[in-house]
Amino acid sequence: MSPKVAEDAVRDLSGHSRKPVLSAKACCADGPDEAATGAPVVALAGAPNVGKSTLFNLLTGARVSMGNWPGTTVSVSRGVWHTRHTAGAPVEVDCDCPEGECGCDHIADHDRDLTLIDLPGAYSVDPMSPDEALTRALLVDCPPSEAPDLVVVVADAAHLARSLYLVAQLRELPLRIIVALTMVDVARRHGIDVDTWALSEGLGVPVVALDPRRRHGDQTLAMAVRRELDDLPPCPREIALDEEMAAVVASEDLDDDAEMAREDERFSFIESVVASGTTSSGQDRRTLSDRIDRWVTHKVFGPLIFAAVMWVVFQITTTVAAPFQDWLDGLFSGPVSEWTHTGLSAIRLGDTWVDGLLVNGVIVGVGTVLTFAPLMALMFILLAILEDSGYMARAAVVTDRMMRTIGLPGRAFIPLIVGFGCNVPAISATRALPQARQRILTALLVPFTSCTARLTVYVMLAATFFPRMAGTVCFIMYLVSILLVVVVGLLLRKTLWRTMGSEPLVLDLPPYQVPTARLTAAVTWMRLKGFLRTASGIIVVAVAAVWLLQSIPVGGHAGFGEAAPEDSAFGVGARAVAPVFEPAGFGSWQTSSALVVGFVAKEAVVSSWAQTYAVADPEETGQQEPLQQKITQSFEQSSGGHTYPAVWAFLFFLLSYTPCVATLATQKREIGLGWTLFGLSMQLAIAWIGAVAIFQIGSLLW
């Protein structure tokens, strides 16, 4: 691979390179909030699902995506690692070195800030996808002066031989290496005991055992890192490569025989290291994970269990969160609105455009969206528990069987399941796929996965029209989302990519484990913060734009802010679009305008409804029951009495059409403008045709 591999690794499919990443140090120098300027660079490397991202969060306090399933990290995350402790204070060091042989009492006790980067998961430095190519670029192909100052290779003690292949490759390079050993408790349950001192002797690099999920061993790792960076006596002593290996490594152009000899040397080295550093009870223990997997990954019972689990998630979400939603709704529609109006009146701004913008605009629109915060938080908690427990990896196996049957690439399941959280990182995650056609196909399918932003609209309509079945309605929409991904993927493959072969999903199934409160809380807050950021950012802009358009009169003699909503610029524009949706049964201007605003963000559909009906009748500002009544009346009128088919048609359109402008921007970056426009046209066509079909057929039967 050429020295420009870092730039080539981030080159998009249209042939235009994005911002190049030339070195680990260069990619980290983005500012004091993300990296310590001038500080040594420490890189976290390792296979997927060995705990790198969890360790990164423990050491930096950052909040990147964490989960107990593969494919979590798809780009380089960076942060500042404060390797500090009070000088002279005792430091609890978990050291397995024989007494007096490692010098652990000579710990550098000065403060030090390090720049820590979390590289994409890789089993080796032989890349099979663009993200693995980026890992190689930052560790192998960059000039020595731009390489990381130290590499911490995170290895799974339960699958040690597989994790050590990367170590075997990196130790052939002029890099300082430390092995951070995770999953030691899991290995012990498998009857495997790891001697970190013997393992370190065999590898020739320091080995530290830790448990990032329970915050154990981070001080020991910090001590080892400081020792290596300060060129203190290593623990244990560094072992040089033997002459035969060094001769092979020195060769620039290896023929097939030499390459095979090199591979054999590595595997022999790994075998000897594992033999000397581990002891096994000799018993092939059938673990609890094995017994559970017999059922949850079964061809028949696996999908049924997965469906039951997700149904329970939606039932809990919609029922438990309801009282909190009602309380927040009363807070925004009552005290918050009244206090704001009273405060503005005190400074002679009551009943002015300022009052209208804040009360009927921001508070009603944003407040209505924020009432869904408890629901989103509960959903994120439940999903985080499923991920941390290890179940989501099993869900990947269950769903992958169906996807491979219709020819979709098996590895594509990872970004697709990420899409059920948010489509933007899911499209970015397609970089992990090895073939360009697979990346394009998956990026076109991700928008059909039902992101959590759509959930706010599902819940509102389900609570309005199907109050006793709200959870089941949301569950059905997610099943429809999966069906759309499958059907559209099959159609695209049979038409545009007939020659693309299917590929099995290969991933490590992590052991089941009891979710930790800290990790669950961190993941939940990270996702909830993203939802709140949308509500406080994009939604505020959308609310202000809708309020402004509703305040501009079109025709007549009404002044600014005095025209009826249907006579405003917003209403006139919405009426022009409404006829497009009449065959689908929801051709009212209020509903049509909400869908147009939903192009910005799906949460804006709810805020648009709240604004429109609040402006229409100020006495009903923010009241949940009147808002639901208004929505019901709108669907009854536009559907000619066939309310339920119209609601289902609307839900299908909401699911199928473009998620948000951020998704379009990410698609353009990853697959180019041409494919993005193709995807946009396809989504609108499928959404409209499907919605019309649902309403027309449903109105005959219902």
Side-chain angles (χ1 to χ4, degrees), residues 25 28 35-42 80-81 112-116 149:
K25 296 181 181 179
C28 292
T37 304
V41 176
V42 177
V80 178
W81 179 13
R112 167 165 279 185
D113 287 347
L114 307 175
T115 294
L116 190 66
D149 297 286

Side-chain angles (χ1 to χ4, degrees), residues 152-486:
V152 175
V153 181
V154 185
D156 179 1
H159 304 90
L160 194 55
R162 185 164 54 205
S163 295
L164 290 184
Y165 187 81
L166 178 61
V167 179
Q169 288 183 311
L170 294 181
R171 69 190 291 273
E172 300 168 6
L173 304 171
L175 293 171
R176 298 180 181 181
I177 302 172
I178 292 177
V179 174
L181 208 59
T182 62
M183 313 288 184
V184 177
D185 55 334
V186 176
R188 191 173 295 114
R189 289 199 297 269
H190 284 273
I192 301 172
D193 289 322
V194 181
D195 184 339
T196 56
W197 171 256
L199 190 63
S200 182
E201 283 278 2
L203 289 173
V205 300
V207 176
V208 176
L210 47 79
D211 185 351
R213 296 181 71 251
R214 295 175 176 82
R215 308 176 71 88
H216 296 160
D218 55 313
Q219 285 286 353
T220 308
L221 178 61
M223 176 200 70
V225 168
R226 285 196 299 268
R227 179 188 291 111
E228 291 296 307
L229 292 176
D230 291 342
D231 290 323
L232 294 177
C235 171
R237 62 186 181 279
E238 187 170 336
I239 299 178
L241 299 177
D242 57 62
E243 295 181 359
E244 182 181 353
M245 173 65 79
V248 174
V249 173
S251 175
E252 290 288 342
D253 300 315
L254 298 176
D255 56 23
D256 291 341
D257 291 339
E259 182 63 31
M260 291 182 63
R262 184 176 181 176
E263 292 294 315
D264 289 341
E265 182 72 23
R266 286 177 184 151
F267 286 122
S268 298
F269 166 74
I270 293 171
E271 184 179 0
S272 64
V273 168
V274 173
S276 63
T278 63
T279 56
S280 176
S281 63
Q283 300 177 354
D284 186 11
R285 299 182 183 178
R286 185 173 179 81
T287 64
L288 177 61
S289 293
D290 296 331
R291 292 193 292 271
I292 296 176
D293 285 344
R294 180 181 178 183
W295 296 98
V296 299
T297 62
H298 191 272
K299 292 182 179 180
V300 176
F301 297 109
L304 296 178
I305 293 174
F306 177 59
V309 168
M310 297 312 298
W311 181 81
V312 170
V313 167
F314 288 115
Q315 284 295 110
I316 294 176
T317 299
T318 54
T319 55
V320 175
F324 299 98
Q325 287 184 266
D326 293 339
W327 178 80
L328 280 176
D329 175 67
L331 178 66
F332 285 110
S333 63
V336 174
S337 295
E338 294 172 1
W339 294 339
T340 303
H341 179 72
T342 301
L344 292 174
S345 298
I347 58 175
R348 300 182 180 181
L349 291 177
D351 298 322
T352 64
W353 68 267
V354 177
D355 187 42
L357 172 61
L358 293 180
V359 177
N360 293 330
V362 176
I363 293 178
V364 169
V366 178
T368 302
V369 174
L370 289 179
T371 60
F372 290 92
L375 181 144
M376 305 300 285
L378 186 57
M379 170 70 75
F380 295 150
I381 289 173
L382 295 175
L383 293 180
I385 290 174
L386 290 178
E387 292 173 9
D388 195 22
S389 68
Y391 178 73
M392 292 305 288
R394 277 72 182 180
V397 173
V398 169
T399 310
D400 171 66
R401 290 198 186 102
M402 177 181 62
M403 295 178 65
R404 282 195 292 116
T405 300
I406 63 172
L408 289 175
R411 292 181 66 183
F413 178 80
I414 299 300
L416 286 173
I417 198 171
V418 172
F420 284 95
C422 180
N423 289 174
V424 173
I427 294 175
S428 298
T430 59
R431 301 172 193 168
L433 301 178
Q435 299 181 20
R437 289 182 298 178
Q438 293 177 351
R439 294 194 290 272
I440 295 174
L441 174 59
T442 308
L444 292 175
L445 294 179
V446 165
F448 293 106
T449 59
S450 187
C451 63
T452 52
R454 295 178 172 107
L455 183 60
T456 58
V457 190
Y458 297 162
V459 172
M460 169 165 280
L461 291 179
T464 300
F465 295 97
F466 313 98
R468 296 182 180 179
M469 300 175 58
T472 302
V473 169
C474 295
F475 173 67
I476 291 174
M477 293 310 301
Y478 278 79
L479 290 182
V480 173
S481 174
I482 295 174
L483 182 63
L484 268 177
V485 170
V486 172

Side-chain angles (χ1 to χ4, degrees), residues 538-685:
I538 296 176
I539 301 301
V540 170
V541 175
V543 163
V546 169
W547 174 85
L548 178 62
L549 292 174
Q550 287 181 342
S551 300
I552 299 175
V554 176
H557 302 285
F560 182 82
E562 297 176 355
E566 59 269 21
D567 296 326
S568 66
F570 184 79
V572 171
R575 287 204 304 271
V577 177
V580 176
F581 300 108
E582 287 180 357
F586 48 88
S588 66
W589 71 268
Q590 297 96 333
T591 304
S592 303
S593 63
L595 288 174
V596 174
V597 176
F599 266 103
V600 178
K602 287 298 171 284
E603 300 96 333
V605 171
V606 175
S607 65
S608 175
W609 268 332
Q611 277 185 274
T612 299
Y613 293 121
V615 172
D617 188 352
E619 294 299 321
E620 296 176 354
T621 298
Q623 295 295 321
Q624 184 72 9
E625 184 176 355
L627 177 58
Q628 290 179 325
Q629 290 177 356
K630 292 289 186 180
I631 293 174
T632 302
Q633 294 170 7
S634 177
F635 273 95
E636 288 176 349
Q637 295 171 3
S638 62
S639 65
H642 302 288
T643 305
Y644 294 116
V647 172
W648 283 110
F650 179 87
L651 287 171
F652 180 85
F653 190 93
L654 180 81
L655 166 63
S656 307
Y657 89 116
T658 308
C660 61
V661 292
T663 298
L664 291 177
T666 307
Q667 278 187 317
K668 178 179 179 296
R669 186 183 70 239
E670 297 296 334
I671 62 176
L673 179 61
W675 284 113
T676 300
L677 294 177
F678 171 80
L680 173 62
S681 303
M682 177 182 64
Q683 294 154 20
L684 291 174

Side-chain angles (χ1 to χ4, degrees), residues 500-513:
M500 183 175 66
S502 62
E503 169 185 310
L505 175 66
V506 180
L507 54 80
D508 294 328
L509 287 182
Y512 289 103
Q513 52 195 10

